[in-house]
Structure formats: C-alpha cells, structure tokens
Amino acid sequence: MQWLIVIVLIMGVYYFFIRKSPRKETPKKQEEIMIECEKCGIYVSNKEAIIQDGKYYCSKECCKGK
Ligand SMILES: [Zn+2]
C-alpha cells in the first residue's frame, strides 16, 4: 500500500503548487496609456504619471514646480 501514500503525497504537492501559483491573467484594464504632462508636455505612462488636482504630471518636479 506504499504506492498509495506516494500517490497521495504527489497529489498533495501538486495541489499545493497549483493553489500557490497565481493564475490570474493580466487584466486588460492595466494597459499602459500615455498621458501628456501638464507642465512640460512629456508623455508618460499612466502608471508613472503623478496625478495632482486631476491633472497629470511626469514627475514630482513638474507637479510642484511653477
Ligand atoms: Zn513634466
């Protein structure tokens, strides 16, 4: 009956890894969009852009500086 224990063990490990591995597909929402900086006009991705008062800036310098 040892083989049964081995199979159960393998199944357990298999299950463990399947549950652990993130199977989330990257959602389409996270597509990068290029946004123009309000201050200097440089295009930055929406991930990097800084949003201040509903406006987009490429960096903190642009965000603060006047
Ligand atoms: Zn800028």
Side-chain angles (χ1 to χ4, degrees):
M1 287 298 274
Q2 269 197 334
W3 58 274
L4 238 174
I5 295 159
V6 171
I7 285 172
V8 168
L9 265 171
I10 290 167
M11 291 273 277
V13 170
Y14 195 65
Y15 235 87
F16 181 78
F17 275 106
I18 280 188
R19 271 177 56 184
K20 268 212 133 183
S21 65
R23 294 202 71 184
K24 290 175 192 167
E25 285 170 37
T26 47
K28 282 271 179 183
K29 278 180 187 173
Q30 290 199 346
E31 258 180 67
E32 280 193 36
I33 302 160
M34 298 309 279
I35 296 157
E36 191 178 3
C37 172
E38 196 73 27
K39 176 87 177 178
C40 66
I42 284 175
Y43 280 88
V44 284
S45 76
N46 58 337
K47 285 175 186 171
E48 290 168 55
I50 294 159
I51 302 158
Q52 182 92 17
D53 301 324
K55 289 172 181 176
Y56 293 92
Y57 299 94
C58 66
S59 63
K60 283 180 182 176
E61 281 71 36
C62 278
C63 186
K64 287 181 199 167
K66 285 183 180 175

